[in-house]
Every structure is written in structure tokens, then in C-alpha cells.
């Protein structure tokens, strides 16, 4: 039983009846007249979805009126006579929606009888009968000639049966002095538990049925929850737990339900605040997906999408949104295969949900309407509006026309053609255009702002991982590698010298790595200081500055969607040049436990002592704190996803780790400044080279005085080149939130770039080198048409580990000095001490640090005695 009670509402007193919606079910009746039918139909229509309605109809009510009530959303009918019930079944009303009076009947929802004829035998027989449509078991409902006592109700519930009690005789108070029956007491009478503390397992779900968490309830907490209409549970340590009382994540109790055995409760709630879980997440069971996730995304985009973006246009341009809905509906009608239908239906749902969110309609509202349609008995006419019949006919005729020879797939096989067609159906890959002259300064700032990173949530996830590795060492590291990389290892570390079979490569790949290695080495060796800095600030006072390598460094080399030996080069070569004594790499293994041979080969070339076979936060923690197998390092460098970045920030702030990091990191990004002389194919290729890193990558084009033809040429190249890439789906996701800014002058473009502070800045300009002096903020600059960003990623010699997310305003990219520290020294002669000693003593006195001044004073006094 869902709730061991069915409140009975009289049609004449619906408006004045106390709210008992927490029961989840209401029986309205008896209906005696057509006026009763009209009142009930209106009430059900207005309150559909809040509770499940049933109606008790007398023989005076026409069958057509009963069907109208079922169409309005009534779930179940309690006819007065068997003849009336049989008539409903004969005209096609499902048995699951009819409760038979007085006796059992094949495949109906249940039976209702008076308390004098209700027996355990009948209740047991019904409970063992499963309805043909699979919606549940038959139920026994019991009516009373007068208001029953609580004991009589409990006896009825124990049969098991569901008592029908007038709503005016019920109260949500646990103990009532008015003689009314307590809803909480009735509910609790159906519970049973085998726990020694008497508590009941309780599943908490939201109104969509998504599980939020598992808690415990007691008779006392249930009574309080029903009384206060809130999420109140039983803590095993602290008594009653009023959910959200301190955090603000309160719950409104919608309804209560019991499972089939009466030993588990379900709370249906509306959750407020950050969510149910103490980790500030919606649920304790991870993220929910499907339509609910889509709704959350669209609600967020309605609030946060920048001006001029495609999403903002969808919400603000009714014509555009209507066109997209009609476009997707048409494509769904022409879809043939299972995959095509699923894809097109999802597209239609996306834009339909956009329309709903725009109008303030929630998925709960949609769900309520779907439930209402599911309850309709009257069948729709099997037709459609004539204009859509005509449109469908034209679409069908067009699809039956033979493909012209000029459009034939020629040498491509059928599978390739299908793939190409699927790609085309997903739409054009195109950056969103923004004319800077047409928007305000604040709007421009919003458009340049990167998507917000939810660090608090990430930190909550990363913290336990870091702590587990810190306290449990290798055991935790191996567990996380098995969980996240699906690799079961005996040891988390690969130690040098590395076995030759682990770095077997074809000669072409080796040659490419060797050339890149040498170029990166040359450039980074050139950054070494040839001699210490020595300055005599005054006669007799010599100050110097000199560098020393950081002894032990940890280099994080990402895995994931791409093999990245280049990152191993960009981190390992500077460490080698700087003279770091202990170089440790960390990189996630493949599912078979091995690393890509390219990474092992680079590790060998840079003289790495070990490779940690792990990725993510767990690898960072292992290098920061050290484990039984992983040596502790002094500094961690290297890019990674948001979990790696969060872990690096976390360990850097832990004084017990005593470790530093290179810089914060975000998704990859590139900004290209192009003028009329720029080659559209070159511009597009540079944009795509960063877009393929991940869907969170961002690419920006600033077009300098480009006309429509020139912009279109670049856009065409972007789409055509992207469609030929194997990572086209990733590119599509990145381009979706990327933009083209239109400006008039190069100076305006560079100013805009400085404001954005990109990781990679590419100047595809005539006489590009003369504009480099204007650049103030960028990770690395690529000057001229013949300097693609990918050369810096691999082989030119500069480092590709660069500041992202706007950090180029304050951070440098990784360089030789990233692996070094600088010390200063000073040496004073007696004459030098005499020259500055007085100033030192005076400033120490001003600051109240007498011992500081005394250290100089005793020396000056000693010199005075020697004279």
C-alpha cells in the first residue's frame, strides 16, 4: 500500500476541507448529481498532479459523465453497483481504474466493502492477485457507517486493507483533543521493522522520483514531518533531524508512501537550497541525467548565457526558436533508423524544453500534463490539421525523388555516406558573430568572461580523494586507478631504467620526438643565467642573486581523450636543463595497465627516476605527500582537468605537504587576430587546433575590418575542415560557445585580446611583427601566417604549458626558471656597515624591533672601540 488511508471528500465541502495532500490520494464522493460531477471535474482539473483522485459515483451518474471525469484526470472510479462497474469495463475502461463494489471481479483495481464484511481471507486473496497491466496488486478498501475509532482503523490496516475515512474526521496532529483521527498514527500503524532501535529505513526522493538520499524515520519524526509539512527524520545520534534547519537546504513534504512490505518509507519532497547531500550536491547518489539534467542546464543558460550568444538568441528571439522547433519536428518525421529517430527526438525535446523554460514551465508541469493524457479514456480522432497533412505529403514526395547524379556518393561506401549525412543533420559548425561597435562595454565584458568554474563542488569531490591517498598511500592510489582508469596494478610506480619494450616506437615518431626534444632543450638552455647577479649598492655593501634547481619535481602528463607526449617534453626538458635531481612523471595508464610508449620514451630521455601510473587528483596527492612507492616532490607542474587543478590548489595550501605548483589551469584556448590579408584556411585551421582539445575549450576570432564575404570565407573553412576531423563532435561542442568579434582596427583588436588574456595568441596580420609590442597579456604569441600554434605545441622550442582562463595577466608559461629558485646574498665590510647601520637602527626602532637594531649597534660600538 502506498498510504494506508483514503480520505473521503464530499463535493459540497471541497473548498473548506483541510489539506491532506500528504496522503497522496483522495476519494471524492458520493457524486449524486450532475452539479457534483461539474464541481469535481473542475477541482480535479485545477489540482491534477498534487494528489491522485478517485471518485465514488452513485447509479444516478451517467456513464458519459464518468468517462468525462476519467478524461479530466480521475484515476479510479468506485461505482455504486456491480452493473455500473461492469458497464464501464465493457466499454473499454481499464480494469485497473475500476474498484468493484462488494465482491471480487476479474482484473479490477480492487474491491470496496463495509467494515462488517471485510475479512483477512478476502484481503489476503486480493493482495496476491496481480493486475494484468502490471500496475500492482488488487486492493481491499473498507468503508464505515460512522467514524471509526483509531483501534478499528488499525485493525483494518492490519488485514491488510485501506480504510476510507471522511476527511473532516482526520487531522495532521499526532495527538488530537478534538476526537479526530491522526493521519500520522494511521500511517505508523502499518509500519514494521526488525531494527532494535525501532527506526524505519526511509528513501527520500524529489517530485520527479529522483532518489536524494537514504535516512531513518521514527514514529515521532513521522508525526513531526506530517504536522510541519517538512523533511523531518530521525538521527541515530542526535534525535530529531529537521533537514536544512542550519544549512538552509530545507524540504517541503509533498507526500508519504510505504513499500509493499511496510518496512520502508518514501518521502516525496521539494528540495530547496544547494541540495540534499551534505556535500552540497543535489543527491547522495551522484548526478541525475536525462530530461532533469537538460532542464537544469537550460535554466542556468537562461540566467547566465551572454548577450549575443546562440542560447541567448533562442530565449529572446521567438521566431528563431519557433523555426528550430519546426525544423527539428520535420527532421524527426523523416528519420528512418532507430538511431536517427532517437537523435532527432532528442533535438526536438531540447528545443521544446527551451520553449518551456522560456515560458517558466518546469518539467514537473510537463510531466503532470503527460500523466493527464495517460489517464484519458476517450480516444482522439485519428486525423491532423490539413496544412500539416499537406506538408507531410510534400516531405514524403521529396524523399522519394531520386538523388541527382551530381549528388551521388561516388566512391564513398554506404557507411561513409551515412556518417556524412548524420554529421550534416547536426547543423553547421560556426562561431557566433559579435559586432563590438553594436554592444556596450559591460556586454563586451560579459562576452569575454569565461564560463564559471564551480570550484566549491569540485573541491568537495577532490578533498576526500586527496585525504585518502595522504593517509592510506599506495592502497588508496591503486584503488582509485582501478576505479577511474579501469586498470588493476600490482604497483603504482614504474621505476627507471625503463624496459626497452615499454618504449617501442616507429622510427618516424622517434625522430619527431628527438627533433622536438633538441629544439625545446636549446630554447630553455638559453634561459639559464650565465652568472650570478652582483650589485654593490653602496661602497662596502655587495648584494647578489643566484639560482639553484628545485631538487624534486613532479610532472603531470594528462591522458584522457588524447596521447600527450608533447606535454612530457615541455615539462621534462626544462627540468633536465635546470638540473633537477629527481624528476617524477605521473600519467594515467591505459586499462591494461600500460602507458603510451611515447610518454615512456620521453621520460627516458629527460632522465626521469619514476613514472606514477595514476591520473587525476590521486596522482597529484601521491606526488605531494609521497607514498610507500611514490617519492614526495617539492613542486608539481603540468596541465590537467578541473580535478587535477583543484587537487594542485588544495595541496599547495596544505602546509604539511610543503609543495608548490606552477599555475592554476583551465580549458585550452586560442585567440586569432586576422585582417583582410589573412588566409581563411589558415585562420580556420588555427581555431580548430585548439577546439579539438575538449568541448570546454574556447576559441576566439577577432576580425579586423572584415566584410561579409571575408567572414563567410573563414566560416566556410571552419565548417568544412571541422567536418573532416575525427574529433568533430568535440570540435562542435567547443565552437558552440566560441565567438567572432568584429572590430575596425588592429589596435582595437590587440586591446580586446589584452582584455581577454588568451593562452595562445595568433597574429595573422600583414606585418604582424610590428604589433607584438602592443601585446601585454598572452601565454604565447604566434607571429604571422607561417607560425601555427601547433608548432609551439610540439617542436619550435617554446613551452606549451601556458596560463589559461585569463591568468596570463599575472602568470608566465612554464620555463626553465619554473624549475629553479633564486637565492640572494649580501656581504658587508666594516665601512659598508657604517654607511647603512644608522638607517637600519632607526627603522628597527620605528618598528619596535629593538633586537634588530641591537644586532647592528653592537657591531658599530665594537668598530668605534677599535678606532
Amino acid at each position: 500500500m502506498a498510504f494506508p488511508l483514503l480520505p473521503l471528500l464530499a463535493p459540497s465541502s471541497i473548498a473548506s476541507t483541510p489539506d491532506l495532500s500528504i496522503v497522496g490520494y483522495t476519494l471524492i464522493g458520493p457524486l449524486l448529481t450532475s452539479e457534483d460531477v461539474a464541481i469535481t471535474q473542475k477541482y480535479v482539473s485545477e489540482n491534477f498532479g498534487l494528489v491522485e483522485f478517485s471518485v465514488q459515483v452513485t447509479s444516478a451518474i451517467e456513464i458519459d459523465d464518468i468517462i468525462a471525469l476519467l478524461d479530466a484526470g480521475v484515476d479510479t472510479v468506485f461505482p455504486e453497483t456491480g452493473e455500473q462497474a461492469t458497464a464501464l469495463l465493457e466499454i473499454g475502461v481499464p480494469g485497473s481504474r475500476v474498484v468493484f463494489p462488494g465482491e471480487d471481479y476479474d482484473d479490477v483495481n480492487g474491491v470496496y466493502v463495509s467494515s462488517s464484511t471485510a475479512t483477512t481471507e478476502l484481503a489476503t486473496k486480493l493482495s496476491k492477485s496481480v493486475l494484468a497491466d502490471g500496475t500492482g496488486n488488487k486492493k481491499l478498501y473498507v468503508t464505515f457507517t460512522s467514524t471509526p475509532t483509531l483501534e478499528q482503523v488499525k485493525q483494518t490496516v492490519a488485514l491488510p486493507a485501506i480504510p476510507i475515512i471522511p476527511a473532516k474526521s482526520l487531522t495532521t496532529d499526532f495527538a488530537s483533543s478534538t476526537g479526530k483521527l491522526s493521519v500520522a498514527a494511521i500511517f505508523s500503524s502499518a509500519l514494521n521493522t526488525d531494527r532494535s532501535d525501532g527506526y524505519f529505513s526511509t528513501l527520500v526522493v524529489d517530485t520527479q522520483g529522483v532518489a536524494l538520499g537514504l535516512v531513518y524515520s521514527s514514529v515521532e519524526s513521522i508525526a513531526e514531518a506530517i504536522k510541519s509539512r517538512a523533511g523531518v527524520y530521525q538521527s541515530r545520534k542526535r534525535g530529531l533531524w529537521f533537514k536544512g534547519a542550519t544549512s538552509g537546504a530545507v524540504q517541503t513534504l509533498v507526500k508519504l508512501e510505504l513499500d509493499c512490505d511496510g518496512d520502508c518509507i518514501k518521502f516525496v519532497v521539494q528540495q530547496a537550497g544547494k541540495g540534499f547531500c551534505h556535500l552540497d550536491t543535489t543527491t547522495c547518489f551522484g548526478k541525475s541525467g536525462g530530461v532533469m539534467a537538460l532542464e537544469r542546464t537550460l535554466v542556468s543558460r537562461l540566467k547566465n548565457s551572454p548577450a549575443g550568444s546562440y542560447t541567448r538568441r533562442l530565449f529572446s528571439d521567438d521566431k528563431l526558436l519557433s523555426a528550430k522547433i519546426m525544423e527539428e519536428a520535420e527532421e524527426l518525421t523523416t528519420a528512418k533508423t532507430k538511431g536517427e529517430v532517437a537523435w532527432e527526438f532528442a533535438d526536438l525535446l531540447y528545443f521544446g524544453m527551451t520553449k518551456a523554460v522560456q515560458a517558466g514551465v518546469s518539467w514537473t508541469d510537463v510531466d503532470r500534463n503527460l500523466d493527464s493524457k495517460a489517464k484519458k479514456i476517450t480516444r482522439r480522432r485519428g486525423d491532423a490539421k490539413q496544412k500539416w497533412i499537406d506538408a507531410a505529403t510534400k516531405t514524403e514526395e521529396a524523399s522519394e525523388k531520386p538523388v541527382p547524379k551530381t549528388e551521388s556518393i561516388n566512391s564513398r561506401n554506404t557507411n561513409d555516406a551515412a556518417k556524412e549525412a548524420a554529421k550534416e543533420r547536426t547543423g553547421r559548425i560556426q562561431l557566433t558573430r559579435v559586432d563590438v561597435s553594436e554592444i556596450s562595454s559591460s556586454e563586451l565584458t560579459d562576452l569575454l568572461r569565461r564560463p564559471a568554474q564551480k570550484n566549491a563542488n569540485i573541491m568537495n569531490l577532490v578533498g576526500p580523494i586527496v585525504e585518502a591517498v595522504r593517509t592510506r598511500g599506495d592502497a588508496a592510489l591503486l584503488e582509485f586507478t582501478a576505479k577511474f582508469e579501469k586498470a588493476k596494478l600490482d604497483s603504482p610506480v614504474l621505476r627507471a631504467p625503463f624496459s626497452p619494450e615499454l618504449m617501442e616506437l616507429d622510427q618516424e615518431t622517434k625522430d619527431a620526438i628527438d627533433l622536438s626534444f633538441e629544439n625545446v632543450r636549446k630554447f630553455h638552455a638559453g634561459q639559464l643565467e650565465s652568472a650570478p647577479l652582483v650589485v654593490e649598492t653602496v661602497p662596502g655593501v655587495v648584494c647578489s642573486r643566484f639560482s639553484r634547481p628545485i631538487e624534486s619535481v613532479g610532472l603531470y602528463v594528462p591522458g584522457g581523450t588524447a596521447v600527450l607526449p608533447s606535454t612530457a617534453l615541455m615539462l621534462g626538458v626544462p627540468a633536465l636543463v635546470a638540473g633537477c635531481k629527481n624528476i617524477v612523471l605521473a600519467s594515467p595508464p591505459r586499462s591494461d595497465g600500460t602507458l603510451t610508449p611515447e610518454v615512456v620514451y620521453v621520460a627516458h630521455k629527460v632522465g626521469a627516476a619514476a613514472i606514477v601510473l595514476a591520473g587525476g587528483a590521486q596522482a597529484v596527492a601521491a606526488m605531494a605527500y609521497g607514498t610507500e612507492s611514490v617519492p614526495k616532490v617539492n613542486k608539481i607542474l603540468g596541465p590537467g582537468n578541473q580535478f587535477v587543478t583543484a587537487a594542485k590548489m588544495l595541496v599547495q595550501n596544505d602546509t604539511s605537504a610543503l609543495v608548490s605548483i606552477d599555475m592554476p589551469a583551465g580549458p585550452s584556448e586560442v585567440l586569432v587576430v586576422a585582417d583582410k590579408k589573412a588566409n581563411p584556411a589558415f585562420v580556420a585551421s588555427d581555431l580548430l587546433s585548439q577546439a579539438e582539445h575538449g568541448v570546454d575549450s574556447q576559441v576566439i576570432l577577432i576580425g579586423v575590418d572584415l566584410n561579409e564575404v571575408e567572414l563567410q570565407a573563414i566560416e566556410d573553412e571552419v565548417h568544412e575542415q571541422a567536418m573532416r576531423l575525427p574529433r568533430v563532435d568535440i570540435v562542435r561542442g567547443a565552437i558552440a560557445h566560441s565567438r567572432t568579434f568584429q572590430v575596425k582596427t588592429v589596435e582595437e583588436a590587440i586591446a580586446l585580446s589584452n582584455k581577454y588574456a588568451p593562452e595562445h595568441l595568433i597574429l595573422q596580420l600583414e606585418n604582424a611583427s610590428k604589433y607584438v609590442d602592443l601585446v601585454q597579456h598572452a601565454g604565447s604569441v604566434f607571429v604571422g601566417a607561417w607560425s601555427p600554434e601547433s608548432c609551439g605545441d610540439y617542436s619550435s622550442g617554446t613551452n606549451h604549458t601556458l596560463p589559461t582562463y585569463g591568468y596570463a595577466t599575472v602568470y608566465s608559461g612554464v620555463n626553465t626558471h619554473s624549475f629553479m629558485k633564486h637565492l640572494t646574498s649580501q656581504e658587508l665590510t666594516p665601512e659598508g656597515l657604517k654607511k647603512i647601520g644608522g638607517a637600519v637602527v632607526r627603522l628597527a626602532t620605528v618598528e619596535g624591533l629593538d633586537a634588530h637594531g641591537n644586532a647592528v649597534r653592537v657591531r658599530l660600538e665594537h668598530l668605534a672601540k677599535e678606532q
Side-chain angles (χ1 to χ4, degrees), residues 553-593:
V553 293
L555 314 179
Y556 186 84
V557 180
T561 60
V563 179
L564 297 173
S566 59
T567 300
L569 278 171
M570 297 298 172
L571 298 172
V573 173
L576 174 66
V577 169
C580 299
K581 294 179 180 178
N582 184 46
I583 300 174
V584 178
L585 269 68
S587 190
R590 295 176 289 197
S591 59
D592 64 359

Side-chain angles (χ1 to χ4, degrees), residues 518-530 573-574 577-578 797 815-817 820:
E518 185 56 24
N519 287 350
V520 174
R521 188 199 63 76
K522 286 179 183 177
F523 184 70
H524 287 77
Q527 298 169 27
L528 288 171
E529 297 168 357
S530 58
V573 173
V577 169
N815 55 75
T816 304
H817 295 290
M820 306 184 80

